[in-house]
């Protein structure tokens, strides 16, 4: 057994202000304090959004919107110490909304309208799950596996999907996941367990 | 322990959230139970698979600067200088990629037309569907009778509602006050009647005396008088359309028929008694 403890962006030393202190300072008008919160949570926010959307550009857009929303409504946060879970809830809600909107959107194929040799940035699947590998065969395999993982995750109920992404993949603390999902720690364990069982069934040929 | 319970504990063990005492007990089971071992290996492979897809490479410091600039508006000097350089470069760059605007316009128009056409076809189908639905067999006479009865009942109900006394009449003190007012009116009228009955009227044209020598005041009333007619009364009655209508109408019937006749009838009293001065009916010319 290996206890997992992936820190947000960078490890917090003892002298670093807590989330609660930074939130209070921001509410008092210190914008630099919120910059520290951005640095602290940006990796976690991008990662969660990326796991839910499967596209880095969309994930960055959603993360930026989430930070903006958090900044403008920081005064409504009841427990300043729970900033992390609150932010992740905003990130996950915006990501899921973005995903639904993307599903409903019908776009005209415009890539071929570019006049000269403008490169197309879309790979057609709306996903850039890929390993940063120079080996084309390995890259294809990784892309294929990424698509399958994304498909399997998307078939899970929302809470199970979020629990798996945040707890199992991103190794966020269970308490923070519970705050994000607005449920108990025991419920998080249950969502993770149920999600794992379903994923095991869906991905059994790869296990 | 059921397989489901074992798996639940096992996942907590792998996640590192199982209490230490339970973890020790589970490790003992794992040493001897091949089913538990297989389950553990399977979940370990699943975890490894889920974590196998890395995040894209990103410059987190650079990203944090961007987020801060957008969210809080805080921009460091280095980023400000870089932005200024970028602005200079962008000003010199080609503003837009070459797009085939006509083709884009044509495609958008075609997409809109297709959408409208699809909508029209669907509308037509709906209309056809609605028209093709058979009308249920209805006993029209019975329906008419039923409607008449309903309307009659409704009218009757409204009349009953209209006949109800006003709400104010149902208030107790208002009703009592109105009765007392009515009684007072009756008493007053009776008193006035008795007074006028007992008082004798003075002769016409005589001014009332100013003194109080036992004379009652007299009221003089002048009534209209009958005037004697100098000649018999004649009434002129117009029959048929007005002259303006006749002039504007293009209906031949009015021109040749009604309109061509004299529209005037004169009616005068006819003297039928012996003296000839009392009319007994109307004569027409």
């Amino acid at each position: 057994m290996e206890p997992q403890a992936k820190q947000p962006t960078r490890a917090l030393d003892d002298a670093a202000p807590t989330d609660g202190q930074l939130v209070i300072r921001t509410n008092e008008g210190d914008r630099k304090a919120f910059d520290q919160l951005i640095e602290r949570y940006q990796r976690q926010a991008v990662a969660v959004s990326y796991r839910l959307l499967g596209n880095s550009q969309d994930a960055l857009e959603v993360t930026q919107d989430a930070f903006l929303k958090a900044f403008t409504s920081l005064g409504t946060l009841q427990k300043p110490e729970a900033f992390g879970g609150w932010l992740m809830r905003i990130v996950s809600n915006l990501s899921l909304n973005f995903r639904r909107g993307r599903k409903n959107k019908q776009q005209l194929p415009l890539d071929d309208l570019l006049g000269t040799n403008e490169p197309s940035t879309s790979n057609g699947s709306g996903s850039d799950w890929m390993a940063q590998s120079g080996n084309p065969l390995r890259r294809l395999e990784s892309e294929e596996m990424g698509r399958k993982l994304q498909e399997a995750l998307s078939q899970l109920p929302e809470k199970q999907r979020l629990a798996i992404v945040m707890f199992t993949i991103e190794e966020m603390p269970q308490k923070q996941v519970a705050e994000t999902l607005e449920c108990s720690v025991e419920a998080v364990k249950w969502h993770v367990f149920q999600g794992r069982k379903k994923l095991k069934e869906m991905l059994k040929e790869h296990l | 322990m059921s397989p489901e319970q074992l798996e639940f504990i096992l996942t907590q063990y792998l996640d590192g959230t199982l209490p230490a005492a339970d973890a020790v007990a589970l490790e003992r089971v794992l040493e001897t139970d091949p089913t538990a071992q297989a389950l553990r290996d399977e979940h370990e492979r699943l975890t490894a698979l889920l974590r196998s897809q890395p995040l894209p490479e990103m410059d987190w410091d650079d990203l944090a600067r961007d987020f801060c600039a957008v969210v809080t508006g805080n921009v460091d000097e280095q980023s400000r200088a870089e932005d200024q350089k970028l602005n200079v470069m962008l000003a010199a760059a080609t503003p837009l990629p070459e797009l085939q605007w006509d083709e884009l316009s044509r495609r958008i128009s075609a997409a809109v037309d297709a959408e409208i056409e699809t909508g029209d076809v669907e509308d037509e189908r709906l209309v056809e569907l609605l028209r093709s639905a058979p009308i249920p067999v209805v006993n029209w006479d019975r329906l008419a009778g039923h409607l008449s009865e309903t309307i009659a009942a409704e009218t009757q109900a409204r009349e009953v509602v209209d006949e109800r006394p006003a709400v104010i009449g149902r208030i107790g003190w208002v009703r009592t006050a109105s009765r007392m007012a009515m009684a007072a009116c009756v008493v007053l009228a009776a008193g006035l009647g008795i007074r006028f009955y007992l008082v004798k009227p003075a002769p016409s044209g005589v001014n009332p005396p100013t003194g109080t020598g036992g004379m009652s005041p007299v009221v003089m009333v002048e009534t209209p008088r009958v005037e004697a007619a100098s000649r018999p009364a004649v009434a002129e009655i117009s029959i048929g359309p007005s002259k303006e209508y006749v002039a504007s109408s293009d209906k031949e019937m009015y021109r040749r028929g009604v309109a061509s006749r004299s529209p005037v009838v004169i009616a005068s009293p006819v003297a039928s008694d012996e003296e000839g001065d009392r009319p007994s009916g109307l004569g027409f010319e």
Side-chain angles (χ1 to χ4, degrees):
Chain A
M1 181 182 70
E2 292 178 12
Q4 301 127 1
K6 202 184 272 184
Q7 294 298 330
T9 298
R10 53 184 64 165
L12 301 176
D13 56 44
D14 292 340
T18 64
D19 289 356
Q21 288 168 335
L22 290 172
V23 168
I24 290 167
R25 276 169 50 193
T26 306
N27 282 333
E28 288 169 353
D30 181 4
R31 293 184 171 204
K32 291 270 182 192
F34 197 79
D35 288 351
Q36 289 186 58
L37 287 170
I38 290 177
E39 286 173 22
R40 193 173 286 179
Y41 282 101
Q42 62 167 352
R43 192 201 170 282
Q44 207 173 69
V46 169
V48 169
S49 184
Y50 178 74
R51 302 290 180 202
L52 292 172
L53 295 171
N55 180 297
S56 55
Q57 292 304 317
D58 294 346
L60 290 177
E61 190 181 327
V62 165
T63 305
Q64 179 180 293
D65 287 351
F67 276 124
L68 267 173
K69 193 167 183 179
F71 183 65
T72 53
S73 52
L74 198 62
T76 65
L77 178 59
Q78 302 286 328
K79 289 188 284 184
E81 287 299 337
F83 175 81
W86 181 68
L87 177 70
M88 287 309 121
R89 189 155 68 241
I90 296 175
V91 170
S92 55
N93 284 340
L94 288 181
S95 300
L96 295 173
N97 286 344
F98 191 96
R99 193 186 170 85
R100 290 187 198 111
R102 195 168 61 185
K103 257 184 203 170
N104 296 333
K105 212 181 286 178
Q106 287 185 340
Q107 291 179 326
L108 287 170
L110 298 176
D111 288 350
D112 59 325
L113 293 175
L114 291 166
T116 49
N117 298 321
E118 289 285 341
S120 171
T121 53
S122 167
N123 63 4
S125 66
S127 168
D128 61 8
W129 289 79
M130 62 182 79
Q132 314 294 321
S133 165
N135 184 339
L137 186 61
R138 193 167 163 72
R139 184 175 156 176
L140 275 175
E141 281 174 3
S142 181
E143 277 185 20
E144 180 64 19
M145 178 52 69
R147 262 192 290 277
K148 283 185 179 170
L149 269 177
Q150 177 77 345
E151 196 182 320
L153 279 171
S154 68
Q155 287 180 34
L156 293 179
E158 271 181 19
K159 287 209 168 180
Q160 290 176 18
R161 193 186 332 162
L162 287 170
I164 291 283
V165 165
M166 286 190 269
F167 182 68
T168 306
I169 302 178
E170 288 307 316
E171 301 167 68
M172 285 164 54
Q174 251 180 352
K175 190 167 178 287
Q176 193 181 345
V177 178
E179 284 168 356
T180 304
L181 299 183
E182 294 181 299
C183 63
S184 65
V185 170
E186 294 306 314
V188 172
K189 285 182 187 172
W190 182 251
H191 288 314
V192 169
F193 174 57
Q194 292 295 324
R196 288 187 75 104
K197 270 177 70 178
K198 286 175 189 164
L199 285 174
K200 209 172 66 168
E201 181 62 30
M202 285 188 270
L203 299 169
K204 61 185 170 192
E205 60 188 271
H206 303 285
L207 296 176
Chain B
M1 188 186 298
S2 69
E4 176 110 345
Q5 283 172 324
L6 175 66
E7 195 171 5
F8 186 44
I9 291 171
L10 197 58
T11 55
Q12 290 179 68
Y13 174 74
L14 292 172
D15 291 335
T17 58
L18 194 67
D22 294 342
V24 171
L26 181 65
E27 280 167 0
R28 277 197 210 116
V29 173
L30 283 171
E31 281 171 10
T32 55
D33 187 349
T35 312
Q37 288 168 2
L39 209 52
R40 179 196 57 192
D41 294 345
E42 205 175 30
H43 274 285
E44 278 178 343
R45 283 198 296 272
L46 177 64
T47 304
L49 183 65
L50 288 171
R51 292 176 186 165
S52 66
Q53 300 297 321
L55 279 180
E57 294 288 331
M58 289 190 193
D59 183 343
W60 296 106
D61 292 334
D62 196 36
L63 189 61
R65 275 197 295 274
D66 289 351
F67 282 149
C68 292
V70 171
V71 177
T72 61
N74 292 328
V75 181
D76 58 55
E77 284 306 315
Q78 187 192 345
S79 299
R80 201 183 298 276
E82 284 173 1
D83 283 348
Q84 284 172 352
K85 277 184 194 171
L86 181 64
N87 286 340
V88 172
M89 287 168 69
L90 286 173
T94 310
L96 280 173
E98 290 177 20
L99 278 178
Q100 298 169 15
W101 295 107
D102 293 340
E103 179 63 11
L104 173 62
S105 169
R106 193 190 65 73
R107 286 198 193 183
I108 292 173
S109 298
V112 171
D113 289 346
E115 188 70 28
I116 291 171
E117 198 173 337
T118 310
D120 288 347
V121 169
E122 284 172 359
D123 286 350
E124 281 173 16
R125 276 187 200 151
L126 180 64
V127 169
E128 280 176 18
L129 191 69
L130 290 171
R131 285 180 182 161
S132 65
I135 299 172
V137 178
V138 176
N139 185 341
W140 296 107
D141 293 337
R142 197 171 160 193
L143 177 63
H146 177 73
L147 289 174
S148 300
E149 283 171 13
T150 308
I151 291 167
E154 183 69 19
T155 310
Q156 200 173 359
R158 277 191 192 165
E159 282 171 1
V160 169
V161 169
D162 291 343
E163 282 170 7
R164 277 187 195 163
V167 174
I168 197 167
R170 278 179 263 154
I171 300 172
W173 68 271
V174 174
R175 198 161 45 201
T176 308
S178 61
R179 282 178 183 166
M180 289 178 71
M182 189 76 79
C185 288
V186 170
V187 170
L188 194 62
L192 284 173
I194 291 167
R195 181 186 169 85
F196 281 117
Y197 179 74
L198 294 176
V199 175
K200 286 185 179 176
S204 178
V206 178
N207 287 333
T210 53
T212 55
M215 295 291 287
S216 301
V218 174
V219 178
M220 291 176 64
V221 179
E222 284 194 4
T223 57
R225 293 177 184 175
V226 178
E227 290 179 9
S230 58
R231 61 189 179 90
V234 175
E236 190 173 351
I237 303 166
S238 295
I239 300 173
S242 67
K243 288 176 184 173
E244 289 80 8
Y245 180 80
V246 170
S248 66
S249 174
D250 57 354
K251 293 189 176 173
E252 200 59 26
M253 181 185 73
Y254 281 103
R255 284 216 187 93
R256 286 183 302 174
V258 179
S260 60
R261 292 185 206 145
S262 171
V264 179
V265 175
I266 296 173
S268 60
V270 176
S272 59
D273 55 350
E274 290 175 3
E275 288 77 22
D277 59 356
R278 288 182 64 197
S280 62
L282 284 175
F284 292 94
E285 293 176 13

